[in-house]
Amino acid sequence: MTSGLAAVAAALDGARRVAVYCHVRPDADTIGSGLGLARILRALGAEVSVTHPGPSLPSGITRLITDDAFSAPLDAEVAVAVDCASSERLGDLEESFLAAPVRVVIDHHATNNGFGTVNLVDPAANSTTELVLAVADALGVPIDAPTADCLYAGLVTDTGSFRWSTHTGHVMAARLLEAGAEGRELARELLDTHPRAWFTMAAAVLGSARAALDAFGGLGAVYAVCSAADRGDLRWDAAESLIDLLRTADDCEVAALFKEGEPGVWSASLRARSLVDVSAFAREVGGGGHRLAAGYTTRGTADEVVRAFLERV
Ligand code: 5GP
Ligand code: MN
């Protein structure tokens, strides 16, 4: 196992067939990283596939998608997983990824243990697309406008519209806009567009929020549930942004949102303001993530998953 930017660039430089993999419940960072990296490697003459597991693409990224954007994984000499904290995050693509002789991991999750044969894992990066840009620079590939769109999409979403971006993220944004990224259009489509039925769902979910003020040693946790019934006919990712509203509770350090996908299967999103390491909590229950933004998957009724959470905090 090797690690670092130079090792990843060396593994990709001259690779003729590359299979790129995105994570389950794909977001704009994994898709932007995957499609952006594919464009960068194709510029070097490689044949590249990009594949994502289900349930389906996230809303709002049509600007990044061309007819041939995705395909089944190539039988490739090099496989690349983007934005995946662990190989399980590849869902039903995990086996295919693990079968490749050279496995590259490009990711920014603190909980990533380096499951590739070559790893570029940097928790200081704002987004995985920030690391993909570093790979492009190491390979000497210029960034054209469609690639800039892909990289910007991951950056603007993973930084909450730059609210928690570092200086590096702002410099990267300026560079991508200079290269032709359509920043305003991407932000509007990725973050500021909802079907009107979303308002009804958001009102129900936020209206059901409760607080456990004694949780986390008295720092407090606010929590809410979005059941499959709350979501109704809305897409699987309709509730993804609600955690950013829950986390604004002025009397709680931690926010938790339980989102039901398949009946009885819940994705839990955790956020902390600044003091609690929610990735440590998530890891204890089989998940992972970043210090201030993490998640895990769990099963049961709404009451059961909430009770199990409250018992641990
Ligand atoms: P979100 O709340 O936006 O779904 O996820 C926040 C972070 O937690 C993501 O960066 C993601 O990597 C991590 N995360 C969310 N759900 C899971 C999960 O089921 N397993 C693991 N390992 N990480 C997760
Ligand atoms: Mn990410």
Side-chain angles (χ1 to χ4, degrees), residues 19-250:
V20 179
Y21 295 79
C22 305
H23 65 67
V24 286
R25 297 174 66 87
D27 62 9
D29 193 27
T30 196
I31 297 295
S33 294
L35 296 179
L37 181 63
R39 295 185 58 85
I40 290 157
L41 298 176
R42 286 182 191 129
L44 290 171
E47 194 184 340
V48 186
S49 61
V50 183
T51 314
H52 67 85
S56 61
L57 285 170
S59 307
I61 60 162
T62 44
R63 190 170 287 269
L64 310 183
I65 310 289
T66 55
D67 287 347
D68 57 353
F70 300 103
S71 65
L74 281 173
D75 184 14
E77 32 182 321
V78 182
V80 187
V82 285
D83 200 41
C84 298
S86 61
S87 62
E88 297 90 76
R89 295 284 288 159
L90 292 163
D92 55 16
L93 298 173
E94 182 180 13
E95 211 175 307
S96 163
F97 173 80
L98 293 176
V102 177
R103 299 182 296 281
V104 173
V105 167
I106 304 177
D107 184 36
H108 67 135
H109 291 98
T111 54
N112 194 311
N113 61 2
F115 60 95
T117 56
V118 188
N119 301 282
L120 173 56
V121 177
D122 182 0
N126 292 285
S127 60
T128 296
T129 61
E130 184 175 314
L131 300 173
V132 170
L133 179 59
V135 169
D137 290 342
L139 292 169
V141 177
I143 301 300
D144 63 9
T147 306
D149 275 339
C150 291
L151 304 185
Y152 193 94
L155 181 65
V156 72
T157 52
D158 265 32
T159 59
S161 306
F162 300 100
R163 274 174 296 180
W164 47 87
S165 173
T166 64
H167 170 263
T168 309
H170 288 278
V171 172
M172 171 173 163
R175 179 178 163 194
L176 295 177
L177 293 169
E178 184 76 32
E182 299 184 292
R184 290 177 193 168
E185 292 79 0
L186 284 164
R188 190 166 61 231
E189 289 164 20
L190 291 164
L191 298 156
D192 289 341
T193 302
H194 297 115
R196 272 191 301 113
W198 183 87
F199 295 105
T200 310
M201 181 202 70
V205 171
L206 294 173
S208 76
R210 299 282 175 270
L213 295 177
D214 54 349
F216 294 99
L219 295 170
V222 59
Y223 59 93
V225 167
C226 180
S227 67
D230 290 323
R231 210 179 66 239
D233 293 333
L234 292 167
R235 290 166 48 98
W236 66 270
D237 61 336
E240 293 302 294
S241 61
L242 295 181
I243 187 67
D244 288 327
L245 294 168
L246 265 191
R247 74 186 307 179
T248 62
D250 65 356

